[in-house]
Amino acid sequence: MSNNEQTLRFCSSAIMMRIKTPKNGRVRRELEKRAPKLVETGKKTLILQGTKTSGTLNGVLSEIYHLKKGGAVRFTRKNDNIRPFESGGEASLEFFSLKTDCSLFVYGSHSKKRPNNLVIGRMYDHHVYDLVEVGVENFKSIESFNYDKKMAPRVGSKPFIAFVGEGFENVDELKHLKEVLLDLLRGEVVENINLAGVDRAYVCTAISLNKVYLTHCALRLKKSGTVVPRMELVEVGPSMDLVVRRHRLPNEGLRKEAMRTAKDQPKKKVKNVSSDAIEGTIGKIYIPDQKVGDVALPNKAKGVKRERREAKKKEANERASKKQREESE
Amino acid sequence: MAMETESQKAFHVDVGNLLAFNPFHSFPSLPASRDELVKECLHEGTKLVQAVADSLFNLPSSEDVDGPLVKLPPPTTKLPREKHLPKPKPPTKWEEFAKKKGIQKRKKDKVVWDEQTGTWKRRFGYDRVNDDKDIPIIEAKMTDGVDPFAKRQDEKKKRVEKQEKNRLQNLKQAAKIGALPSHVQLAATALPITGTQAPPKKVTKDELGNVAGMAATSTASGGKFDRKLPGEKPAKKQGKHRKFLPVVEGSGIGSREKEQTESVLNKLISKHSHEILNVGKAVTMYNVKKEKKARNKRNQEGKFSSATNKLKPKKLLQKKTGKKGPVSSKKGKAK
């Protein structure tokens, strides 16, 4: 039995089962984070590569990792046995997804037939849900753009996302790609947002029936007459052309199950908090009774000093009397 | 607002996701140069972002330390979940029974009044109310000669076991429908065993190594040409485990058989012979006895004043002779 679990052995009918609960609070919190929730927080992305990668592909993968710094895991070793579009080649991906708790993955590989290949996929319950395979062309990395460094978007800020083109509506593959890109670039779903902190935007334009131009820009808010500032986009980040090669849509049953949302439950009542029309939010704090006798006095009262003096005098007297007694003996 | 004057160009704006989609734009002809393409894309993108910002900045905002905070509406584009919806926990057996019978849950206090000591004690835990160890005397019944304290302990143990069994059953039921609580895992400790329900003995590393070695040597070539797994250590004692003397050998100085027999004989004879003396042992015994005697004498002298030492005659330091001929009698002497 390892030290990290409290185990209770019990002999059941045929199979001996035991209940494992975490002994650590930290482990318990981690398990709770990974449990399925009613309202989901941001998805984590797993970025990994296949047997062979090219220089551009390496750049693409690291830049995607930089863009998603908070919620992404980057694997640097090559994985021979991952073939997302084949039936048996997904086992490794599912295992990694389970271990890192990532439900989005970006898999890069390079071959003669499919140069600079990127497979973007999603998972449902750590099984492959859908895949889109794109080829990267005309990649420009962050370093190749020169811009005023002060405007650089901060890590983790919520981006604006813009899709341009009728292809995204009409063409099946581009529609799927739009959904996947939205999932990938979106970040966390938040309720409140600080208007001073919006500083990045992704722009995807459908150039042709199977090509999309994706770029990452910083936002500049310029003064305008109204409350709404005037937006200005400055290209900062990576820009690339994505050519859709293959894609796999989820099967209908799985899609229905994944799209299901529970009706919103009434929010749990927070204890000791009430709201008043006049005063607003009121909280109740319970303080235990004060023990007046045991409290330490801040400044030494005269009485305390006098007590001490008298105690010292008494001791001196006792010692003197003891000595007298000894001498007399 | 000036952006949306053309009625046909209505963008799909999803403020919850900060998303804007323009489904009406198309490139009738691809621009010649890359720069122009980029410029066109950025231009369109700016229009869309402006549309989102229009709705975003018009939302009611509250002032905060870092800046104005707005409450975003929930996103309109539906995206698939990453994990299944959590299933509600099924009612446990007790809960079902309670519902059927109409038993209500009662809130219990953490402290209970203890009559015996006259204080408020915990309901469970360290210094609790009805603790087994607090009972000093139990009246003995005339019928059975059973230790009542042990009986109480056994009953408690049985109750606890029953409770754990029920808990396991409830968790198994929950696991069956997929509603196990997130911090609990059910693990099978052993595969079902038919016959005796003895728990399988854990095999140690050494045992496994021994068995592996035995299996290897039982092959036709004695395990010499087996492909070794990475990390497998070579067999501990290779080759023959016993060494036999050659059948035919010369009877010169180095004849091993002669040496062997000689050593055996020597050992045998020396054990049972009373005349053969272990010289080393005898010398050691003698020396030890002498030292002991000298020490005792010195101790006795030391108690009185040391001045008297000079008056005593000096001890004769005799030379010990090597020959101890009939010293075997010394062995028998007990001092």
Side-chain angles (χ1 to χ4, degrees):
Chain A
M1 282 190 255
S2 71
N3 284 332
N4 287 334
E5 322 152 338
Q6 285 172 335
T7 58
L8 296 152
R9 250 172 213 278
F10 197 82
C11 204
S12 167
S13 56
I15 306 173
M16 290 168 94
M17 288 266 214
R18 61 194 169 119
I19 307 170
K20 281 162 66 165
T21 46
K23 198 172 168 187
N24 244 342
R26 179 175 62 87
V27 177
R28 186 185 289 260
R29 270 174 262 132
E30 276 301 319
L31 285 176
E32 264 181 46
K33 270 194 215 165
R34 295 192 176 199
K37 296 184 258 284
L38 214 57
V39 176
E40 285 187 336
T41 49
K43 299 187 183 182
K44 288 212 282 199
T45 314
L46 177 64
I47 305 174
L48 66 166
Q49 53 215 52
T51 330
K52 206 163 86 157
T53 44
S54 60
T56 44
L57 204 61
N58 279 335
V60 172
L61 290 174
S62 23
E63 306 236 327
I64 295 179
Y65 176 60
H66 281 310
L67 289 177
K68 301 207 65 170
K69 208 47 177 293
V73 180
R74 175 100 163 90
F75 282 0
T76 41
R77 290 216 195 140
K78 62 177 191 176
N79 304 291
D80 310 356
N81 49 353
I82 296 185
R83 286 169 219 287
F85 278 91
E86 284 168 39
S87 58
E90 311 162 348
S92 225
L93 270 176
E94 296 182 352
F95 175 72
F96 290 146
S97 156
L98 184 67
K99 286 294 172 179
T100 55
D101 195 32
C102 288
S103 55
L104 276 166
F105 69 88
V106 176
Y107 169 78
S109 67
H110 177 78
S111 67
K112 205 157 161 195
K113 188 173 173 193
R114 294 178 227 274
N116 294 333
N117 203 24
L118 214 63
V119 179
I120 311 173
R122 293 186 285 188
M123 301 274 194
Y124 177 73
D125 257 353
H126 302 295
H127 295 298
V128 170
Y129 175 75
D130 64 357
L131 307 160
V132 177
E133 187 176 53
V134 290
V136 177
E137 291 172 10
N138 299 328
F139 171 67
K140 280 180 84 181
S141 80
I142 298 182
E143 282 92 39
S144 57
F145 290 95
N146 37 0
Y147 54 92
D148 187 10
K149 296 291 186 224
K150 276 189 271 180
M151 289 189 309
R154 277 168 296 191
V155 178
S157 54
K158 190 145 172 77
F160 282 82
I161 311 179
F163 285 99
V164 181
E166 59 183 9
F168 283 123
E169 182 96 358
N170 305 335
V171 182
D172 220 6
E173 295 167 323
L174 290 186
K175 223 158 101 174
H176 191 200
L177 179 65
K178 171 168 169 280
E179 202 186 318
V180 174
L181 279 179
L182 175 62
D183 225 344
L184 182 69
L185 303 171
R186 163 161 91 140
E188 274 193 44
V189 180
V190 284
E191 259 196 35
N192 301 318
I193 185 169
N194 186 354
L195 291 178
V198 295
D199 50 5
R200 60 166 86 205
Y202 291 97
V203 178
C204 302
T205 338
I207 305 175
S208 72
L209 283 177
N210 62 347
K211 222 188 219 189
V212 166
Y213 175 66
L214 170 67
T215 179
H216 173 234
C217 313
L219 282 180
R220 273 177 76 178
L221 312 176
K222 290 225 163 121
K223 263 199 185 310
S224 80
T226 58
V227 189
V228 185
R230 195 160 62 87
M231 296 291 189
E232 202 182 288
L233 267 65
V234 178
E235 265 201 298
V236 289
S239 78
M240 55 191 102
D241 279 355
L242 301 174
V243 178
V244 179
R245 287 179 185 153
R246 294 187 279 184
H247 74 128
R248 199 213 290 184
L249 288 165
N251 49 357
E252 207 38 54
L254 195 58
R255 200 183 77 86
K256 275 210 178 122
E257 198 190 325
M259 290 297 205
R260 251 195 315 173
T261 49
K263 262 179 269 193
D264 278 8
Q265 284 176 335
K267 252 199 225 166
K268 267 196 168 172
K269 195 173 184 309
V270 185
K271 277 188 172 177
N272 296 323
V273 169
S274 61
S275 62
D276 196 11
I278 305 167
E279 293 177 34
T281 327
I282 311 174
K284 258 197 215 172
I285 308 175
Y286 295 95
I287 310 177
D289 287 338
Q290 192 182 28
K291 290 198 175 75
V292 184
D294 297 346
V295 173
L297 294 168
N299 30 344
K300 294 225 166 99
K302 239 185 174 174
V304 176
K305 282 196 200 154
R306 190 192 304 143
E307 260 182 38
R308 245 191 164 189
R309 226 184 314 135
E310 288 182 358
K312 269 197 191 158
K313 229 196 267 176
K314 216 166 90 179
E315 233 191 283
N317 284 343
E318 277 179 22
R319 226 178 282 147
S321 64
K322 221 186 186 176
K323 254 198 173 166
Q324 273 184 358
R325 240 181 288 150
E326 259 189 19
E327 277 175 17
S328 65
E329 272 180 16
Chain B
M1 298 304 156
M3 311 293 163
E4 289 180 289
T5 43
E6 293 138 332
S7 54
Q8 65 155 238
K9 298 260 172 90
F11 306 143
H12 298 315
V13 172
D14 176 5
V15 190
N17 274 329
L18 298 183
L19 170 72
F21 175 36
N22 176 4
F24 301 108
H25 177 86
S26 65
F27 283 98
S29 62
L30 267 180
S33 76
R34 181 108 185 133
D35 282 338
E36 279 192 29
L37 177 70
V38 171
K39 226 166 67 175
E40 170 103 21
C41 295
L42 282 186
H43 180 68
E44 293 294 319
T46 319
K47 283 201 273 185
L48 283 170
V49 171
Q50 192 65 54
V52 179
D54 285 344
S55 343
L56 182 67
F57 281 82
N58 284 327
L59 287 171
S61 72
S62 58
E63 274 301 318
D64 201 20
V65 186
D66 307 314
L69 218 68
V70 291
K71 188 167 178 328
L72 283 177
T76 50
T77 27
K78 280 177 76 176
L79 288 169
R81 288 176 62 94
E82 63 168 331
K83 292 190 182 117
H84 60 268
L85 281 166
K87 292 199 189 74
K89 223 171 61 151
T92 59
K93 277 191 81 176
W94 166 255
E95 282 175 0
E96 282 173 1
F97 177 77
K99 206 166 77 168
K100 196 172 70 167
K101 290 278 186 168
I103 302 172
Q104 299 286 349
K105 248 200 218 183
R106 285 213 195 101
K107 180 135 172 95
K108 300 189 180 82
D109 288 330
K110 210 154 81 165
V111 284
V112 182
W113 177 252
D114 185 18
E115 287 295 338
Q116 197 185 1
T117 51
T119 53
W120 287 95
K121 281 202 176 174
R122 265 168 264 226
R123 183 182 291 277
F124 55 85
Y126 166 60
D127 187 21
R128 58 177 175 264
V129 181
N130 293 328
D131 205 355
D132 263 353
K133 65 179 171 97
D134 285 340
I135 304 173
I137 303 168
I138 301 177
E139 275 191 19
K141 294 200 184 82
M142 292 307 261
T143 45
D144 45 10
V146 170
D147 177 13
F149 296 102
K151 194 163 97 143
R152 281 179 78 96
Q153 274 189 346
D154 281 340
E155 281 178 7
K156 177 160 188 188
K157 220 174 172 187
K158 279 205 203 106
R159 270 181 278 139
V160 171
E161 270 184 23
K162 177 173 175 287
Q163 179 55 34
E164 287 311 320
K165 184 167 78 119
N166 289 342
R167 179 179 172 220
L168 184 66
Q169 290 300 325
N170 283 328
L171 285 173
K172 272 202 203 162
Q173 193 63 30
K176 208 156 69 160
I177 71 163
L180 205 57
S182 64
H183 54 87
V184 175
Q185 281 173 291
L186 285 177
T189 52
L191 294 167
I193 303 168
T194 52
T196 51
Q197 287 258 346
K201 204 176 66 136
K202 221 176 175 186
V203 192
T204 56
K205 199 160 80 166
D206 301 323
E207 264 184 43
L208 269 178
N210 286 345
V211 170
M214 274 195 266
T217 49
S218 59
T219 53
S221 49
K224 220 170 149 186
F225 301 109
D226 286 344
R227 203 184 321 147
K228 280 220 172 340
L229 291 167
E232 197 183 329
K233 293 203 179 106
K236 259 194 259 191
K237 212 174 175 187
Q238 275 173 329
K240 298 208 173 93
H241 292 246
R242 283 185 70 186
K243 193 172 164 190
F244 294 104
L245 294 171
V247 176
V248 178
E249 202 192 356
S251 54
I253 300 171
S255 102
R256 283 174 274 174
E257 195 174 348
K258 204 171 176 188
E259 283 173 12
Q260 237 185 23
T261 45
E262 224 181 273
S263 65
V264 171
L265 279 172
N266 280 335
K267 274 196 209 147
L268 280 174
I269 294 170
S270 68
K271 239 188 193 173
H272 298 289
S273 160
H274 298 284
E275 281 138 344
I276 298 186
L277 170 74
N278 187 347
V279 181
K281 208 169 179 181
V283 170
T284 323
M285 280 181 75
Y286 179 76
N287 282 341
V288 164
K289 262 191 218 151
K290 199 158 169 248
E291 277 175 18
K292 221 181 186 177
K293 225 161 104 184
R295 219 182 299 136
N296 286 340
K297 262 198 188 153
R298 233 177 289 141
N299 283 345
Q300 284 181 352
E301 286 167 20
K303 282 227 171 98
F304 308 118
S305 53
S306 50
T308 49
N309 246 348
K310 295 184 184 155
L311 298 174
K312 285 234 164 135
K314 274 199 183 141
K315 274 192 280 182
L316 287 164
L317 294 164
Q318 278 174 350
K319 240 193 173 179
K320 289 181 216 130
T321 49
K323 273 218 180 101
K324 297 259 191 254
V327 187
S328 52
S329 55
K330 262 223 163 151
K331 264 192 177 173
K333 250 194 203 168
K335 257 240 161 122

